[in-house]
Amino acid sequence: MKRTIKSISGPSTIDGVVPGVRGQSAFPNRELKSMNPFVMLDHIGEQHVGADYFVDGSDSAHPHRGFETVTFLFEGIMDHKDSLGNQVRLRSGDVQRMNAGSGIQHGGDFRSDPHSQLFHEVQLWVNLPAKEKMSIPGIFNAKVHDIPVYDLEHGKIRVIGGAFEGLEGPIRTIQPTRLLHAISKQNQKMTISEIASDHNMLIYVLKGNIRIEDQEISQHQAISLNNEGDHLDLELLDKSQVLIVSGKPIDEPVVMGGPFVMNTAQEIDQAFEDFQAGKFGAVK
């Protein structure tokens, strides 16, 4: 059985998340509140920012607790620093998974890609079940050459997390997910198969236009899918890119408070108290 469209939603504007680069949020917004277990998808760029583009992140440190971030750096350079003492440079095509767990602070500098002079990034928040919300924080970085690629006639699918057509992505979130990045050079039909029956699924159009069920869907729109079915047929039109994400939902209350995602308002209050008491460490 084939998965079908449940809803199509547009983005809300979030300019200023990365200074000087336009941004849009696929969710949460008025049209699409969430996509359990995913609680946020922010899309920064794609934008030509020039060879001299640089954002000094010395004052950008901020805290998180209770979820994981997956940062897809499609174009650009990001120098990540965190309160665990990690200092990592991510380049175009790299992906980072960060478990905020019980609490972490992070920040960093941003630069354009030295060849294309573009900056383009997505950050996806993946909720943690209650038993993992106070887990030990940490990061994992996948370099572009670590990410397996499934070749198509006129494009490719980067298998970032989960399994696809015998390939296994390097990003492994605590809550089970599959994370695919599809890219076309010209019109390309594809089938996304082996969709887990208990996974919610979302398609986000990064660039260009796509077609599902004879319906054309444009850049920056998000498509949520009905849960029945184990495969999806879609077509990328011309030079297009999409994120295809699916994950096992968490049957627990979700309370978001700024940079924290917990199960109750009291836990959000405690997170702010712990942060103000210095329990999240410092970025040096």
Side-chain angles (χ1 to χ4, degrees), residues 75-132:
E75 296 273 0
I77 294 173
M78 182 176 75
D79 290 316
H80 166 98
K81 297 180 181 180
D82 62 46
S83 53
L84 303 179
N86 297 303
Q87 296 190 26
V88 178
R89 171 162 284 191
L90 300 176
R91 300 178 185 273
S92 298
D94 296 347
V95 181
Q96 180 187 82
R97 165 192 168 262
M98 183 180 79
N99 177 28
S102 61
I104 193 171
Q105 286 203 71
H106 74 142
D109 302 334
F110 299 98
R111 296 174 171 84
S112 61
D113 180 278
H115 304 293
S116 66
Q117 300 181 20
L118 295 172
F119 190 85
H120 191 198
E121 175 206 6
V122 159
Q123 189 170 95
L124 179 69
W125 289 15
V126 186
N127 197 14
L128 286 171
K131 65 181 181 179
E132 299 287 354

Side-chain angles (χ1 to χ4, degrees), residues 1-6 178 191-202 213 225-233 245-247:
M1 180 184 257
K2 183 169 63 177
R3 290 222 175 180
T4 56
I5 294 172
K6 181 179 181 180
R178 181 163 70 170
T191 297
I192 305 303
S193 58
E194 299 176 332
I195 303 168
S197 60
D198 59 349
H199 276 209
N200 289 335
M201 189 172 183
L202 179 87
E213 301 172 17
L225 300 166
N226 290 306
N227 281 48
E228 297 79 15
D230 60 3
H231 70 280
L232 172 72
D233 295 328
V245 303
S246 60

Side-chain angles (χ1 to χ4, degrees), residues 179-190:
L179 312 169
L180 306 176
H181 176 207
I183 304 166
S184 65
K185 300 175 185 176
Q186 60 186 74
N187 288 14
Q188 173 68 62
K189 291 183 179 180
M190 62 184 71

Side-chain angles (χ1 to χ4, degrees), residues 159-266:
V159 185
I160 293 168
F164 179 76
E165 298 293 345
L167 301 174
E168 187 79 31
I171 298 296
R172 298 180 181 178
T173 53
I174 291 173
Q175 188 67 10
T177 60
R178 181 163 70 170
L179 312 169
L180 306 176
H181 176 207
I183 304 166
S184 65
K185 300 175 185 176
Q186 60 186 74
N187 288 14
Q188 173 68 62
K189 291 183 179 180
M190 62 184 71
T191 297
I192 305 303
S193 58
E194 299 176 332
I195 303 168
S197 60
D198 59 349
H199 276 209
N200 289 335
M201 189 172 183
L202 179 87
I203 312 293
Y204 178 72
V205 185
L206 293 162
K207 183 177 180 179
N209 298 277
I210 69 171
R211 185 178 290 121
I212 301 176
E213 301 172 17
D214 295 325
Q215 185 164 351
E216 191 163 321
I217 302 153
S218 59
Q219 180 169 285
H220 303 162
Q221 289 188 303
I223 307 100
S224 64
L225 300 166
N226 290 306
N227 281 48
E228 297 79 15
D230 60 3
H231 70 280
L232 172 72
D233 295 328
L234 70 155
E235 182 178 10
L236 274 61
L237 305 177
D238 197 17
K239 298 177 180 179
S240 297
Q241 296 188 36
V242 297
L243 271 182
I244 304 166
V245 303
S246 60
K248 185 175 182 178
I250 301 170
D251 187 21
E252 296 172 355
V254 177
V255 179
M256 295 180 67
F260 309 126
V261 181
M262 303 300 289
N263 297 112
T264 68
Q266 290 76 17

Side-chain angles (χ1 to χ4, degrees), residues 63-74:
H64 292 301
R65 172 181 280 180
F67 63 99
E68 295 179 275
T69 65
V70 181
T71 301
F72 306 81
L73 190 62
F74 301 116

